[in-house]
Amino acid sequence: NGELLANLGSKNGYVRQRSRRILTERGAEKIKSDLESWTQKQTSEQGALEALWMYQAIDLVNVDLLKKNLAAKDGRVRAAATRVLSFWQNRIPDALELIAPRIGDENGRVRVEAVRAAAKIPSARSAELVLGALDKPMDRFTDYAIWLSINDVAEPWVKAVQAGEWKSDGREKQLEFALRAVEPQYAAVVLTEVLEDHPIPADGSGPWIDLFAKAGSREHLV
C-alpha cells in the first residue's frame, strides 16, 4: 500500500490514476489504516486533495479532510472538494451549512459546484442558496447551473413562497430568473402569490410590469 499511496503524489497522471484504481480494488478494510497514516503526512493542498479523492474512491467519509480541502487557497481544490461534498451530502450532518459559504466563493467554478450540490438537497434553504448565486458574477456555466438547480428544487421553493418564507422584495432579479426557468405550473403559482402582495400600480410604475411581461402569462397582466 505504501508505494501505491506514494504514487498519488506523482506528477504523472497515469501513475496516479492507476495507483488509485489498484488501491480502490483492494478495498477500504485493506488500505484504511495506511491511508490514514499517509493522509496525515500530506502538507500540500494537492496531497490533501489526492487523499480526499482516495477516501471518496473507497467510499469512506472523512469530514475533517473534506473541510480542510474546502478551505484550500487554490480555487480548483475548493471546487473539487465541493464536488465531493455533493456526493457525501446525505451522510454529513448540516451539509447545507458547508455548501452555503461556497455559493459566495470568489472562484466561479466553486460557485457552480456549490449550486449543483445544494440542488441535491431539496429544501427551501437550498432554493434560497441556488438563487442567491445570481448576486455574484455570472457566466454561461453559472447561468446554466442555476437554471438546472432551481428546477431541481422548484417544488420546495414554491412552497416557501406560498408560506411567506421566501419574499420577492429586493430579489426581483432572482424572481425573474426563477420564473423564467421553472415549469409553467410552478411559475403560475408564484406569480399569483406575488401579485397578492404587489398589485400592479395603475400607472405601471415599479419593476412588476416588465417582470410579468417577461415571465408571466396574459392572465396575470389582465
Side-chain angles (χ1 to χ4, degrees), residues 136-151:
K136 298 298 179 179
M138 296 288 292
D139 57 29
R140 60 191 178 92
F141 302 106
T142 309
D143 187 280
Y144 186 52
I146 297 173
W147 186 89
L148 287 174
S149 299
I150 192 57
N151 274 283

Side-chain angles (χ1 to χ4, degrees), residues 182-199:
V182 300
E183 294 296 322
Q185 65 268 27
Y186 291 127
V189 173
V190 173
L191 278 173
T192 299
E193 291 291 329
V194 172
L195 277 171
E196 288 184 0
D197 294 330
H198 300 279

Side-chain angles (χ1 to χ4, degrees), residues 6-172:
N7 286 344
L8 297 180
S10 171
K11 294 182 179 180
N12 187 312
Y14 174 76
V15 171
R16 294 197 306 273
Q17 183 180 23
R18 180 172 174 78
S19 298
R20 189 182 300 118
R21 186 179 73 178
I22 294 173
L23 286 165
T24 302
E25 290 174 349
R26 289 183 179 179
E29 289 304 315
K30 292 183 179 180
I31 75 165
K32 180 180 178 181
S33 179
D34 290 335
L35 175 58
E36 183 177 353
S37 298
W38 180 82
T39 298
Q40 292 174 352
K41 297 176 184 177
Q42 300 312 301
T43 58
S44 70
E45 292 189 345
Q46 185 60 40
L49 179 58
E50 290 292 342
L52 181 66
W53 278 338
M54 196 63 247
Y55 272 95
Q56 182 187 15
I58 61 175
D59 198 31
L60 280 180
V61 174
N62 186 325
V63 177
D64 290 338
L65 182 60
L66 173 63
K67 289 180 178 179
K68 180 178 180 179
N69 279 274
L70 287 172
K73 293 182 179 179
D74 191 328
R76 295 168 298 179
V77 174
R78 297 197 303 275
T82 304
R83 178 169 292 191
V84 174
L85 171 57
S86 75
F87 288 110
W88 286 353
Q89 49 83 19
N90 62 345
R91 299 160 67 184
I92 297 177
D94 301 321
L96 273 179
E97 298 313 308
L98 288 179
I99 294 171
R102 272 77 246 175
I103 294 289
D105 196 279
E106 63 182 21
N107 185 288
R109 187 174 173 184
V110 177
R111 295 196 298 273
V112 167
E113 294 292 350
V115 164
R116 294 305 294 142
K120 290 187 177 181
I121 309 174
S123 68
R125 172 64 170 153
S126 297
E128 182 179 22
L129 291 174
V130 166
L131 292 175
L134 288 164
D135 297 332
K136 298 298 179 179
M138 296 288 292
D139 57 29
R140 60 191 178 92
F141 302 106
T142 309
D143 187 280
Y144 186 52
I146 297 173
W147 186 89
L148 287 174
S149 299
I150 192 57
N151 274 283
D152 289 338
V153 295
E155 187 171 343
W157 176 61
V158 171
K159 290 181 179 178
V161 173
Q162 290 178 306
E165 297 171 358
W166 193 93
K167 299 288 188 179
S168 60
D169 294 332
R171 293 173 168 173
E172 288 78 13

Side-chain angles (χ1 to χ4, degrees), residues 176 179-180 182-193 195 200 208-222:
E176 180 181 339
L179 289 175
R180 297 177 70 175
V182 300
E183 294 296 322
Q185 65 268 27
Y186 291 127
V189 173
V190 173
L191 278 173
T192 299
E193 291 291 329
L195 277 171
I200 299 175
W208 306 108
I209 286 287
D210 183 57
L211 175 59
F212 296 142
K214 290 179 179 178
S217 62
R218 179 179 301 177
E219 289 75 15
H220 287 108
L221 291 171
V222 172

